[in-house]
């Protein structure tokens, strides 16, 4: 085995840094992904916090980790996973974590991501047996309370806006885990507006996995069915590939997009059979026709909010039955799988009679089936999915990933989804996450110039041939993104991100029966820097500018700037963060998005629009290995022009706070 001495030293230092910082959160990797998804994903309406819930960052013994686990991390390409196991087959078990750098197709960036998930076990007794951290099990209780609202101080108002979450997980029993979630959103009246429960048993005599209660189902690339959160496209070549466990427990508080019933996964050699049956109620808007004594569903409601009488009337009004089958056969270099799902509603679905709803789902029953595959070889990784619905309308996704060498990666993704293709719960990598009425091509390129410089970019061109909600005719456009990273050393990093977008939309004119089409163009540039001033203080700063125009000479300019200080002394039990943000845009449609650091297992992506300032203070304290506390306080100010407000320079101050106690025992 040959090691790169310089990278070996970097890895050694990196390992030390990871060990001494007690406040390294599992949120950071997710936040990094979201930072580059925010402005290129069009219709993400999922709450990441609710989808993920209490997500524990396991560390896996490197010589026992499985292909399924590495895929579920969504940090490695299939080719890199194959290289991992090929290296292990050729040289035997790993004896040091530093061997990761010797794996073909793994560079220092890949190793930096994976080193916090893998470890080499030490002998635990004279017999030389190894014990994995996650085999010992744990119990964890999370209690989170917060308030969202203005500076009103009345007790009634305070109580109404209170938000509370309780999540409990127990994996102390051998191959058995139990989870319970309860939540009340701000403004809801019930103490626990939503509750969720599951029991999961793994590796029994008859089942590989058995889940009773609430669970999530994912299939292929998301054409036929996908539950839980999924990232949109970004500049990483890996972002066009979906990899996830087909069936997993629902550990969050998402109230509609999950299954409730029984899910079973059986394995015979290299083939797995997954079955699931679900019966539950979801929120929906029900329309009644008293004259004809009929009722139908006009739309699904996915916010999960029940704050007033109108929202309460729509709570759990639609019963839905789901049943499905997944047959997956694995090879040494990939897999092929057959997926099918059947949906039945107790009230027929009938959307409004508008052009873009011409091919929408109608009636009480719907079904989808698909074939998905992933294969890796020396020529690259090929993946894709072809799906059909009840009416045999088709949707297709084909993708390709290739490591040209250790420094250059390329990616291609082509999609062709018929205007008549539909699925109740689809979620794909495309201009719109729902699989319907889209043709597109995505080309990505990642180049590592040297240890200090790297470039990531992609271009995505799309076409919606049939009318959409925002355009009465064919809608077409493109998104181009480029990020240039400069990492002079392990403590500092800067990047410049440039986004160019163009598409046509309806231009609504007063007293006009038709909507002329307007071509809008936008350019966005971000300059961001992370600087470790010393071992205890990190400084983050950002400037972002947005410029948009249309063929009707309408121009909009927006900007955002923030400065953030993070205090995390080595070997200390506390961490402190403070950020101040200033912004100005014309309206909500021209929002600039930014991710904030937040409580463990909580994620904040904010849309900044109009004019104002926002600041937050985040505090975390580790009382012991078992007990930790975190709290965050946020203050927002909104400014408007004088024609909207007289007297005060702002409409008011919004004070939000949340605190969290986590107990492991």
């Amino acid at each position: 085995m040959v090691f790169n001495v310089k990278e070996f030293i970097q890895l050694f230092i990196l390992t030390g840094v990871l060990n001494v910082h007690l406040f390294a959160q599992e949120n950071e990797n997710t936040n990094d992904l979201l930072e580059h998804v925010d402005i290129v994903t069009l219709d993400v309406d999922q709450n990441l916090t609710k989808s993920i819930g209490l997500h524990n960052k396991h560390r896996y013994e490197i010589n026992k980790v499985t292909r399924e686990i590495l895929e579920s991390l969504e940090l490695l390409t299939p080719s890199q996973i194959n290289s991992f196991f090929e290296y292990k087959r050729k040289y035997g078990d790993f004896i040091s974590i530093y061997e990761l750098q010797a794996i073909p197709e793994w560079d220092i960036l890949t190793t930096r991501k994976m080193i916090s998930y893998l470890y080499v076990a030490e002998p635990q007794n004279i017999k030389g047996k190894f014990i994995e951290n996650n085999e010992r099990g744990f119990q964890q209780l999370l209690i989170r309370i917060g308030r969202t609202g203005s500076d009103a101080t009345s007790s009634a108002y305070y109580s109404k806006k209170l938000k509370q979450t309780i999540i409990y997980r127990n994996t102390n029993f051998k191959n058995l885990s139990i989870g319970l979630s309860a939540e009340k959103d701000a403004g809801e009246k019930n103490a626990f507006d939503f509750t969720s429960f599951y029991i999961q048993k793994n590796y029994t005599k008859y089942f590989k996995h058995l889940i009773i209660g609430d669970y999530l189902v994912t299939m292929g690339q998301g054409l036929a069915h996908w539950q839980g959160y999924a990232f949109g496209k970004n500049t990483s070549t890996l972002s066009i590939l979906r990899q996830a466990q087909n069936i997993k427990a629902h550990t969050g508080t998402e109230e509609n997009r999950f299954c409730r019933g029984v899910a079973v996964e059986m394995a015979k050699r290299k083939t797995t059979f997954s079955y699931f049956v679900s019966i539950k109620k979801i929120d929906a808007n029900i329309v009644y026709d008293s004259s004809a004594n009929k009722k139908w569903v006009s739309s699904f409601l996915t916010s999960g909010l029940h704050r007033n009488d109108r929202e309460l009337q729509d709570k759990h009004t639609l019963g839905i039955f789901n049943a499905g089958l997944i047959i997956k056969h694995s090879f040494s270099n990939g897999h092929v799988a057959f997926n099918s799902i059947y949906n039945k509603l107790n009230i027929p679905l009938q959307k409004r009679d508008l052009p873009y709803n011409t091919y929408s789902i109608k009636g009480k029953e719907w079904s989808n089936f698909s074939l998905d595959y992933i294969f890796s070889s020396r020529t690259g990784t090929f993946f894709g999915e072809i799906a059909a619905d009840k009416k045999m309308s088709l949707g297709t996704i084909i993708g390709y990933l290739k490591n040209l060498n250790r420094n250059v990666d390329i990616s291609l993704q082509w999609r062709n989804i018929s205007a008549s293709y539909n699925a109740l719960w689809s979620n794909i990598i495309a201009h719109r996450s729902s699989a319907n009425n889209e043709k597109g091509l995505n080309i990505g390129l990642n180049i590592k110039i040297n240890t200090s410089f790297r470039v990531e970019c992609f271009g995505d061109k799309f076409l919606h041939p049939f009318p959409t909600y925002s355009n009465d005719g064919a809608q077409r456009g493109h998104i181009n993104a480029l990020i240039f990273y400069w990492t002079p050393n392990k403590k500092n990093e800067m990047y410049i991100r440039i986004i160019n977008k163009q598409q046509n939309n309806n231009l609504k004119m007063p007293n006009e029966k038709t909507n002329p089409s307007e071509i809008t163009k936008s350019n966005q540039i971000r300059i961001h820097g992370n600087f470790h001033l010393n071992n205890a203080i990190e400084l983050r700063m950002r400037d972002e500018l947005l410029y948009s125009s249309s063929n009707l000479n309408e121009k909009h300019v927006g900007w955002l700037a923030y400065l953030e200080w993070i205090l995390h002394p080595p070997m200390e039990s506390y961490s402190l963060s403070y950020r101040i943000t200033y912004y100005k845009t014309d309206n909500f449609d021209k929002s600039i998005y930014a991710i904030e650091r937040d409580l463990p297992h909580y994620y904040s992506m904010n849309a900044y629009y109009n004019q104002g300032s926002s600041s937050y203070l985040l505090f975390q304290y580790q009382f012991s290995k078992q007990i930790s506390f975190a709290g965050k306080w946020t203050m927002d100010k909104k400014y408007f022009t004088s024609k909207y407000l007289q007297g005060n320079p702002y409409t008011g101050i919004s004070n939000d706070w949340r605190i969290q106690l986590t107990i492991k025992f």
Side-chain angles (χ1 to χ4, degrees), residues 348-359:
L349 181 62
Q350 178 63 58
K351 295 188 177 182
R352 292 185 297 169
D353 187 17
L354 294 171
Y356 62 88
N357 284 329
T358 301
Y359 295 110

Side-chain angles (χ1 to χ4, degrees), residues 153-425:
T153 57
S154 69
S155 60
Y157 185 89
Y158 177 91
S159 176
K160 182 179 180 181
K161 294 296 181 180
L162 197 65
K163 178 177 180 177
Q164 57 200 42
T165 303
I166 297 177
I167 302 178
Y168 171 75
R169 292 184 66 188
N170 188 333
T171 63
N172 268 333
F173 305 102
K174 185 177 181 181
N175 294 328
L176 179 69
S177 62
I178 300 171
L180 173 66
S181 303
E183 183 197 50
K184 183 189 83 70
D185 286 307
E188 294 178 336
K189 299 178 181 179
N190 297 329
F192 294 108
D193 182 78
F194 171 76
T195 57
S196 175
F197 176 77
Y198 73 87
I199 299 176
Q200 179 171 339
K201 180 68 174 177
N202 300 322
Y203 305 108
T204 69
K205 182 178 180 181
Y206 302 102
F207 307 117
K208 184 178 180 180
H209 301 294
L210 170 65
I211 302 176
I212 300 174
D214 297 342
Y215 57 91
L216 306 174
V217 178
T218 59
M219 297 179 176
Q221 298 302 305
L223 277 173
H225 186 79
W226 191 281
Q227 291 176 325
Y229 193 85
F231 296 107
K233 58 181 176 287
N234 58 62
T235 54
S236 170
T237 55
L238 185 59
S239 68
I240 64 171
L241 173 64
R242 288 277 169 84
Q243 299 181 94
Q245 295 174 265
N246 291 129
I247 296 175
K248 58 182 178 181
H250 178 37
T251 61
T253 56
E254 163 61 44
E255 300 187 26
N256 291 284
R257 285 169 287 210
F258 68 93
C259 291
R260 175 167 287 175
V262 178
V264 176
E265 183 176 306
M266 304 172 64
K268 186 175 182 180
R269 296 180 181 177
K270 294 185 177 182
T271 304
T272 59
F273 304 85
S274 302
Y275 314 86
F276 61 92
V277 176
S278 168
I279 302 176
K280 65 185 294 288
K281 290 186 176 182
I282 64 174
D283 299 349
N285 184 30
I286 309 297
V287 179
Y288 296 90
D289 185 347
S290 57
S291 61
N293 195 26
K294 292 182 179 180
K295 60 181 178 179
W296 61 90
V297 179
S298 63
S299 62
F300 298 149
L301 304 176
T302 57
S303 69
L305 298 175
H306 311 113
R307 301 162 297 186
N308 49 50
D309 292 338
R310 183 176 179 179
E311 291 177 348
L312 285 170
Q313 288 176 357
D314 296 326
K315 182 179 180 180
H316 296 170
T317 53
L318 177 64
I320 181 169
F321 170 82
N322 298 318
L325 167 67
I326 303 172
I327 303 175
K328 181 178 180 180
H329 185 76
S330 299
F331 306 92
S332 59
N333 62 340
H335 77 262
V336 61
F338 171 78
N339 314 288
S340 63
I341 183 169
Y342 169 76
N343 311 283
K344 185 173 183 180
L345 312 177
N346 67 342
I347 301 174
L349 181 62
Q350 178 63 58
K351 295 188 177 182
R352 292 185 297 169
D353 187 17
L354 294 171
Y356 62 88
N357 284 329
T358 301
Y359 295 110
S360 62
I361 298 174
K362 299 178 179 64
K364 289 187 175 182
E365 298 183 45
W366 199 254
S367 58
N368 296 84
F369 59 90
S370 72
L371 187 71
D372 79 88
Y373 59 90
I374 297 178
F375 291 107
S376 294
S377 66
R378 293 184 178 180
T379 58
T381 297
F382 299 86
F383 66 92
E385 183 177 17
I386 180 169
D389 63 16
K390 177 182 177 181
K391 295 185 177 181
M392 297 308 297
S393 298
L394 298 178
T396 305
I397 292 177
I398 298 175
Y400 174 73
L401 297 169
K402 173 64 176 176
N403 299 102
L404 298 181
N405 54 53
R406 290 174 70 95
N407 297 323
V408 181
D409 301 331
I410 61 172
S411 64
L412 297 170
Q413 185 234 43
W414 175 78
R415 53 195 184 270
N416 186 357
I417 299 102
S418 167
S420 57
Y421 177 83
N422 285 281
L424 281 182
W425 305 112

Side-chain angles (χ1 to χ4, degrees), residues 23 566-569 573-577 597 618-621:
F23 271 99
I566 303 174
L567 176 66
H568 45 87
S573 300
Y574 66 90
S575 172
L576 189 67
S577 303
R597 300 184 79 242
L618 173 67
F619 175 73
Q620 300 178 77
Y621 189 83

Side-chain angles (χ1 to χ4, degrees), residues 17 111 185 224 261 279 361 379 440 468 497 504 579 600 603:
V17 172
T111 305
D185 286 307
I279 302 176
I361 298 174
T379 58
T468 66
R497 185 183 74 174
N504 59 309
R579 179 190 290 185
Y603 303 89

Side-chain angles (χ1 to χ4, degrees), residues 108-171:
I108 187 65
L109 293 176
T110 302
T111 305
R112 185 179 297 169
K113 295 176 184 178
M114 295 300 300
I115 196 171
S116 59
Y117 290 92
L118 301 174
Y119 73 98
V120 177
E122 298 293 339
Q124 298 297 315
N125 53 45
I126 58 174
K127 294 182 180 181
K129 294 183 179 180
F130 296 94
I131 301 176
E132 297 182 48
N133 285 353
N134 55 323
E135 285 183 346
R136 290 197 286 263
F138 66 91
Q139 291 188 74
Q140 189 164 355
L141 176 66
L142 181 149
I143 303 173
R144 183 187 304 131
I145 301 175
R147 197 203 76 168
T148 301
S150 68
D151 51 2
T153 57
S154 69
S155 60
Y157 185 89
Y158 177 91
S159 176
K160 182 179 180 181
K161 294 296 181 180
L162 197 65
K163 178 177 180 177
Q164 57 200 42
T165 303
I166 297 177
I167 302 178
Y168 171 75
R169 292 184 66 188
N170 188 333
T171 63

Side-chain angles (χ1 to χ4, degrees), residues 25 62 97 132 152 194 340 343 435 523 526 528-529 549 637 640:
Q25 296 183 43
I62 194 170
I97 196 68
E132 297 182 48
F194 171 76
S340 63
N343 311 283
N523 293 283
R526 171 189 294 178
H528 181 94
S549 61
K637 293 182 180 180
F640 293 90

